Amino acid sequence: MFFNMGDSHGGAIELGLHRAVMGKMEFAGLQRSTCPWGPFNQCREDRPGDAQEYHAAVNKLLVQNLRPGDVVSIIGVNNGHLNSDNGLQWYSNFVLPTGASLLLLQDYVHSTSALCARAPHLSCARTVGAGLVETNTKVHRFASDAARVHFFSLAPLFCSEPFSVTSSCRSVVPGTNVPAFVDASHINAAGSMSLWPFACSAFRLFGFF
């Protein structure tokens, strides 16, 4: 079973991830916009207690259903799930004792604006920035040092190669002028489906199937 966890960005990539594992693993998605599952129980967008109740309910669901060979994938806007060393360790400590694998996804680079997302003919490229590359390096190292923890970055997929602080990123499906974003932050169905061949190759390399 492949569990796609996260916030609205988990929902945005769900089509592509589902296609990547289709016929190989069962698929389940569980996302919560803005305040997803994780060790960060306090969320300013929630009413008091809501985030904690959701967090506890998801913990219970996963404990009851995770089996050896399953995969728990987690993504969050602006990589909040990756930016805390304590958070990375929390996810590992929760998932790995079940025999499942943990897949840490780095968020894709956002569009510069909603207008650019819908008008690919505009020159709206943006650069990556040092922070994103530093996160990439840190989490890759964390995953490399732990059994059954894997890291897959979506950040390079809409950007020029090689991926670096000077990469130029656009709001279209690579190699086309098809818009890949529905707004400045969320990829659309075409953008999501463009991810699946890359995700499938990575998942085979990780030994998920």
Side-chain angles (χ1 to χ4, degrees):
M1 176 74 78
F2 187 100
F3 291 87
N4 176 31
M5 313 292 293
D7 56 14
S8 60
H9 284 216
I13 65 172
E14 186 150 298
L15 282 175
L17 293 186
H18 194 184
R19 176 65 180 84
V21 303
M22 188 177 296
K24 309 172 189 70
M25 302 179 74
E26 293 185 70
F27 186 92
L30 187 59
Q31 300 92 34
R32 187 168 190 252
S33 180
T34 306
C35 305
W37 169 70
F40 320 105
N41 292 339
Q42 297 296 328
C43 181
R44 65 181 183 275
E45 304 294 335
D46 266 332
R47 294 175 300 178
D50 280 5
Q52 292 92 331
E53 290 178 10
Y54 176 79
H55 176 78
V58 175
N59 283 353
K60 182 178 179 180
L61 181 147
L62 289 175
V63 166
Q64 292 175 339
N65 289 280
L66 279 178
R67 300 290 184 270
D70 289 345
V71 176
V72 176
S73 171
I74 180 76
I75 189 171
V77 62
N78 296 323
N79 299 302
H81 62 305
L82 303 180
N83 292 331
S84 163
D85 291 340
N86 290 336
L88 292 173
Q89 196 60 57
W90 185 91
Y91 285 118
S92 296
N93 292 343
F94 184 93
V95 172
L96 298 186
T98 69
S101 295
L102 174 64
L103 175 62
L104 300 166
L105 296 179
Q106 187 175 32
D107 198 15
Y108 48 83
V109 178
H110 301 174
S111 178
T112 52
S113 71
L115 178 61
C116 291
R118 295 191 297 269
H121 61 281
L122 298 177
S123 179
C124 294
R126 62 172 294 183
T127 54
V128 172
L132 198 62
V133 176
E134 289 170 4
T135 298
N136 186 305
T137 302
K138 179 189 76 171
V139 182
H140 189 275
R141 185 182 305 116
F142 176 84
S144 298
D145 291 340
R148 289 185 287 110
V149 177
H150 306 278
F151 174 59
F152 179 53
S153 178
L154 304 179
L157 299 183
F158 297 108
C159 303
S160 59
E161 298 179 345
F163 185 66
S164 70
V165 294
T166 60
S167 291
S168 177
C169 307
R170 299 185 65 207
S171 305
V172 296
V173 173
T176 76
N177 279 322
V178 176
F181 284 73
V182 68
D183 58 29
S185 179
H186 298 90
I187 58 175
N188 58 22
S192 182
M193 287 300 289
S194 73
L195 305 177
W196 84 260
F198 304 100
C200 186
S201 294
F203 297 169
R204 285 188 183 279
L205 183 64
F206 297 154
F208 294 168
F209 42 76

